[in-house]
Amino acid sequence: MATTRIRVGLLPSTMFMAGTAPIPKVKDPQTGELATDRDTGETLFTMTVFLMEEGRAEQMKITVPQSGLADGLQPGVPVRPVELFATPWARMFNGQLSDGVAYRAAALELAAPMQAAAVSE
């Protein structure tokens, strides 16, 4: 079955903030085998980030290849995903349907720090 990948369009005002440091993505918890990119063989990492847009914030996990991780990624720093895609998924596990959306980016770059709005009198 073909996998549907949807490019994620973002508003110019959308901001992201790192919620966790990058951690290697585990393919098989029983063996500890790490997940790798199918095309390049590169190790994949996940990061929890907070998307902030139009007065709301949402937590999301983004998978990124190791070469796409900027130096200095740590919780609280502003980040910008490059080539962000969403992949809907569903599976049956013990007779229960699980579903969700997996997010993948080519890179997570450091973004300019959020600036406080100037107050004019």
Side-chain angles (χ1 to χ4, degrees):
M1 177 164 58
T3 302
T4 301
R5 287 180 15 130
I6 304 163
R7 182 177 295 272
V8 177
L10 302 169
L11 297 173
S13 61
T14 302
M15 294 182 287
F16 288 86
M17 182 175 59
T20 63
I23 56 170
K25 185 172 183 172
V26 177
K27 178 179 181 178
D28 185 343
Q30 293 180 343
T31 65
E33 180 185 2
L34 297 179
T36 57
D37 183 274
R38 288 186 182 131
D39 296 329
T40 66
E42 193 172 356
T43 301
L44 297 174
F45 284 73
T46 58
M47 270 191 79
T48 299
V49 300
F50 295 97
L51 174 145
M52 292 166 281
E53 182 177 85
E54 296 185 335
R56 64 183 175 86
E58 292 190 29
Q59 177 181 323
M60 59 192 289
K61 276 190 180 178
I62 299 178
T63 299
V64 182
Q66 187 170 14
S67 65
L69 296 172
D71 289 336
L73 284 175
Q74 60 185 358
V77 300
V79 296
R80 182 179 50 251
V82 176
E83 296 182 30
L84 182 62
F85 285 87
T87 303
W89 60 270
R91 69 172 172 226
M92 291 294 289
F93 184 74
N94 291 334
Q96 297 289 327
L97 176 65
S98 295
D99 61 356
V101 177
Y103 293 95
R104 173 85 182 252
L108 275 176
E109 299 176 338
L110 297 180
M114 293 178 259
Q115 306 264 329
V119 178
S120 54
E121 296 181 12

